[in-house]
Amino acid sequence: MKRVYVNEKWCLGCHLCEYNCAFANSGKKDMVDALKGKPIFPRIHIEGNEKISYAVSCRHCEDPMCVKSCIAGAISREDGVIHIDQSKCVGCYTCILVCPYGALATNADGVMQKCELCLQNSCGAPACVVGCPNNAIVYEERGDENG
Amino acid sequence: MRMAEYIIIGNGVAAIGCIEGIRSVDKTSSITVISEEQYPVYGRPLISYYLEGKTTLDKMNYRKPDFYESNGCRVLYGKRAERIDKDEKNVLLDDGTALPYTSVCVATGSTPFTPSIKGLETVQSKFSFMTLDDSLSLEKALNKDSRVLIVGAGLIGLKCAEGISKRVGSITVCDLATRVLSSILDNECAALMQARLEENGIRFMLEDTVTEFNGNKATMKSGASVEFDILVMAVGVRANTALVKELGGEVNRGILVNEQMQTSLSNIYAAGDCTEGMDTSLGERRVLAILPNAYMQGHTAGVNMTGGRELFDKAIPMNSIGFFGLHAITAGSYFGTDEGGEMYEERGDGTLKRLFTKDGVLTGFILIGQVERAGIYTSLIREKVPLDSINFDILKKNPTLFAYSQNQRRKMLGGVV
Ligand SMILES: Cc1cc2nc3c(=O)[nH]c(=O)nc-3n(C[C@H](O)[C@H](O)[C@H](O)COP(=O)(O)OP(=O)(O)OC[C@H]3O[C@@H](n4cnc5c(N)ncnc54)[C@H](O)[C@@H]3O)c2cc1C
Ligand code: SF4
Ligand code: SF4
């Protein structure tokens, strides 16, 4: 299945992916209207320092700890994609306790969210990937080992 | 392949893990689930969120409505397994039916423990807080003026308190322990959580408990007396071990299981709150009555019941618990300096972080208030990552993958995990 992968050699640390993600999931048509002057809640995060940086988002794990641990059964795996049913989430943070990648965080309303590969919004392809100026994030099929 | 007959006793999260574990290998053999409770599986921890209005009955289903059907499971609701006949390989139900099995999983959970307190039988309106039915009957009994007394300041008692706090007149919680949540928090961390609960109107009587009930009045060990309309007993739970114990299977505080979730009896497996397995952060056996554990043990039991092989050898205690917006996340074991442990600590405004290390690995942590990305720490404990293979100084400050080497990170972010 296709997943989001990063190549930290290419990452400029420009944080554009964070903005594109927040916009893609805002449901708004206009980026300024969606983001300007507001705290943003992206599902992808840049980590690192001035020299090394890279984006982290949900790995859509083969053996997902979040799915096995959610107390509400709100996280499920459908065709390999790990999905949160936000209407079932009660905000217990058990998924934050178990995700080894730190890939989940709450949205503006305190409900849990994470990368869903832009399959739940109207983008069609992950907005972080499409907008990355240096191809440091890609959306592709890879095998079990590094491809 | 000969068709197997799997029987699962209990219908909680461990049972669901077991069904999914079986079906990951064996798509066709029959699975029968014996469910004492009348409901399809629901998230047991949600019973307090239901009272609080954060979820509704139709959203409490742990799996989709067609789950059992699409997994080819027969569920016998309202039936109890009374006995396992290991010679005939039958499970005997309370209605006299005998169900043959090739392998069986005991996923019976636990039962609230009721201490014998003088006069308890004189209390009219008393509840446990374990099941959806408990929650529904408590809901029927309460009103905006109810004075509620909760005995037990552990996770279950306090979640109950939070759940009903906006719907009753007053809540008093008593516990013999010196602090709240004593099994997962140390004194200082417990005090932070207690303060948040008190700000929200919950009154505590710690190091104190009821010595006698007289109708609506409780006389305390301290000599104080408390008048109440509703009593909730949340002193603790006991693992349901009887089915295995009476066959001579090895049982301590829970049913003893190995890494494949086998009991000491052949073809009998056990999973979830009824078991006692290895806590790898402590290096000792413990009952780990938490939902993730129940699911993973169930899954492992299921796979092994089919003849497949899966090991569950990374069990650690781990809890995420919040009250009125203040979250505490804890995992693993906390060793004191006298036991060779070390502690790293950071404090902020209303936040506290404590990381416990021993023998070059992270063994436990407590995070209060600031809990983002806690799973990065949890993973270090579960995987016993040697701290000298990562940059622990970075990690201490912030849970971040930056603490890993570039190579390790390439595996995490550049491959399928
Ligand atoms: C109020 C509350 C809040 C909680 N909050 C959390 C939390 O935030 N995080 C967390 O990780 N854990 C939490 N827990 C613990 C968690 O709910 C349990 O660890 C988990 O549900 C255990 O699942 P299980 O399948 O082992 O047992 P159970 O869910 O207890 O299921 C066992 C079932 O077996 C049935 N049964 C027993 N004996 C028989 C028999 N002989 N025949 C037929 N059926 C039988 C029982 O009726 C029961 O329905 C909480 C628990 C409670 C009560
Ligand atoms: S949220 Fe975390 S555990 Fe769950 S699939 Fe994504 S990376 Fe894996
Ligand atoms: S916070 Fe929501 S999604 Fe995460 S474990 Fe709790 S209920 Fe599940």
Side-chain angles (χ1 to χ4, degrees):
Chain A
M1 134 196 185
K2 282 169 104 176
R3 289 181 172 85
V4 169
Y5 297 104
V6 301
N7 187 344
E8 66 182 53
K9 274 197 256 123
W10 297 105
C11 177
L12 305 167
C14 69
H15 295 261
L16 247 185
C17 50
E18 296 178 349
Y19 286 91
N20 283 321
C21 174
F23 176 47
N25 291 300
S26 67
K28 297 238 166 74
K29 285 207 170 67
D30 179 63
M31 192 156 186
V32 176
D33 180 31
L35 306 180
K36 194 166 177 193
K38 297 173 196 154
I40 63 165
F41 295 87
R43 302 160 181 211
I44 187 164
H45 295 271
I46 294 297
E47 285 190 355
N49 59 16
E50 310 74 44
K51 289 203 194 97
I52 302 172
S53 61
Y54 51 90
V56 181
S57 59
C58 171
R59 309 311 309 134
H60 295 273
C61 301
E62 294 273 278
D63 189 20
M65 282 295 288
C66 59
V67 173
K68 297 193 273 191
S69 301
C70 173
I71 66 166
I75 314 184
S76 60
R77 185 161 195 235
E78 283 156 35
D79 301 323
V81 179
I82 312 298
H83 165 63
I84 303 185
D85 179 346
Q86 293 187 318
S87 75
K88 289 185 77 166
C89 171
V90 294
C92 72
Y93 289 21
T94 303
C95 49
I96 291 184
L97 157 72
V98 300
C99 171
Y101 304 95
L104 303 116
T106 49
N107 65 13
D109 304 320
V111 181
M112 204 51 66
Q113 63 172 13
K114 62 169 197 68
C115 165
E116 309 221 348
L117 301 173
C118 285
L119 297 169
Q120 308 288 328
N121 58 36
S122 58
C123 290
C128 55
V129 172
V130 174
C132 178
N134 219 26
N135 290 328
I137 329 173
V138 295
Y139 183 49
E140 61 189 33
E141 193 107 28
R142 288 192 183 175
D144 283 327
E145 283 306 318
N146 304 341
Chain B
M1 195 166 97
R2 191 173 62 94
M3 289 287 268
E5 306 235 20
Y6 305 113
I7 294 187
I8 302 172
I9 305 175
N11 186 23
V13 165
I16 301 314
C18 187
I19 294 169
E20 293 179 352
I22 292 172
R23 286 293 179 240
S24 70
V25 183
D26 179 345
K27 309 273 186 228
T28 49
S29 295
S30 88
I31 301 178
T32 305
V33 179
I34 306 165
S35 176
E36 190 179 18
E37 286 186 73
Q38 294 283 359
Y39 308 100
V41 63
Y42 57 92
R44 186 166 306 290
L46 301 187
I47 62 174
S48 74
Y49 294 90
Y50 164 73
L51 292 175
E52 203 182 343
K54 285 198 173 165
T55 189
T56 52
L57 290 177
D58 59 317
K59 294 204 185 309
M60 288 170 75
N61 289 325
Y62 184 71
R63 286 292 181 263
K64 292 193 174 138
D66 67 351
F67 172 80
Y68 298 102
E69 208 192 325
S70 59
N71 280 285
C73 296
R74 176 167 67 132
V75 189
L76 306 176
Y77 288 108
K79 297 275 191 276
R80 234 187 105 74
E82 292 293 351
R83 204 157 62 77
I84 301 172
D85 182 338
K86 66 178 161 69
D87 301 321
E88 295 294 323
K89 291 184 93 178
N90 280 328
V91 174
L92 302 157
L93 304 191
D94 50 358
D95 63 4
T97 324
L99 300 170
Y101 68 81
T102 44
S103 55
V104 57
C105 182
V106 179
T108 47
S110 49
T111 308
F113 165 71
T114 321
S116 54
I117 300 175
K118 200 169 158 205
L120 186 57
E121 70 287 350
T122 67
V123 180
Q124 291 288 322
S125 194
K126 55 172 182 270
F127 303 88
S128 303
F129 199 61
M130 266 301 277
T131 63
L132 182 52
D133 282 339
D134 289 340
S135 183
L136 293 173
S137 28
L138 176 59
E139 181 176 45
K140 273 210 194 87
L142 57 78
N143 63 52
K144 65 176 187 9
D145 300 319
S146 309
R147 297 162 301 173
V148 181
L149 173 62
I150 299 178
V151 183
L155 187 145
I156 293 178
L158 294 185
K159 270 311 214 189
C160 177
E162 181 188 46
I164 60 177
S165 68
K166 303 264 172 352
R167 304 178 66 171
V168 298
S170 69
I171 301 176
T172 304
V173 182
C174 68
D175 198 306
L176 259 184
T178 54
R179 59 177 189 268
V180 303
L181 301 166
S182 59
S183 65
I184 57 171
L185 295 183
D186 58 26
N187 284 331
E188 200 181 345
C189 298
L192 283 174
M193 300 310 280
Q194 184 180 338
R196 177 61 63 102
L197 287 150
E198 283 171 342
E199 282 159 24
N200 286 276
I202 291 161
R203 184 169 79 113
F204 286 95
M205 299 176 86
L206 295 176
E207 293 180 78
D208 204 358
T209 193
V210 183
T211 49
E212 187 176 347
F213 287 107
N214 204 323
N216 283 0
K217 195 173 131 214
T219 307
M220 310 297 291
K221 188 168 138 263
S222 61
S225 69
V226 179
E227 299 221 4
F228 61 89
D229 307 303
I230 292 174
L231 173 68
V232 178
M233 293 297 285
V235 183
V237 298
R238 294 283 177 273
N240 291 328
T241 59
L243 288 171
V244 169
K245 195 173 183 173
E246 64 197 22
L247 293 181
E250 283 181 35
V251 166
N252 189 26
R253 297 179 76 164
I255 300 168
L256 297 194
V257 286
N258 64 14
E259 293 172 346
Q260 297 173 64
M261 298 303 127
Q262 287 167 319
T263 66
S264 61
L265 306 168
S266 62
N267 302 311
I268 303 181
Y269 294 73
D273 283 11
C274 62
T275 69
E276 186 175 310
M278 184 57 83
D279 167 358
T280 61
S281 69
L282 188 65
E284 285 172 24
R285 293 180 160 283
R286 278 180 71 178
V287 175
L288 293 173
I290 47 174
L291 185 140
N293 205 51
Y295 181 87
M296 292 187 269
Q297 287 191 327
H299 194 276
T300 299
V303 170
N304 290 302
M305 284 162 78
T306 67
R309 191 167 163 85
E310 182 174 287
L311 297 181
F312 180 53
D313 52 5
K314 288 180 185 161
I316 58 168
M318 47 182 190
N319 283 278
S320 175
I321 186 159
F323 296 106
F324 304 104
L326 181 62
H327 288 271
I329 293 193
T330 66
S333 303
Y334 325 136
F335 294 101
T337 42
D338 51 327
E339 300 161 295
E342 272 183 68
M343 183 178 84
Y344 168 81
E345 180 182 276
E346 251 180 48
R347 295 153 186 277
D349 187 17
T351 68
L352 190 55
K353 170 196 285 194
R354 286 188 171 157
L355 304 180
F356 299 86
T357 57
K358 190 185 170 211
D359 300 332
V361 294
L362 186 68
T363 60
F365 68 80
I366 302 177
L367 305 176
I368 312 256
Q370 195 171 340
V371 299
E372 289 84 38
R373 311 189 78 193
I376 293 179
Y377 290 139
T378 309
S379 165
L380 294 180
I381 305 175
R382 277 170 53 88
E383 307 296 335
K384 292 188 193 277
V385 174
L387 295 181
D388 58 12
S389 72
I390 56 174
N391 188 331
F392 191 53
D393 286 329
I394 292 181
L395 207 63
K396 273 180 191 165
K397 303 270 173 222
N398 270 311
T400 156
L401 305 182
F402 199 52
Y404 285 90
S405 73
Q406 218 156 9
N407 220 356
Q408 287 164 315
R409 217 162 38 231
R410 194 159 59 229
K411 288 202 184 107
M412 294 170 141
L413 303 177
V416 176
V417 289

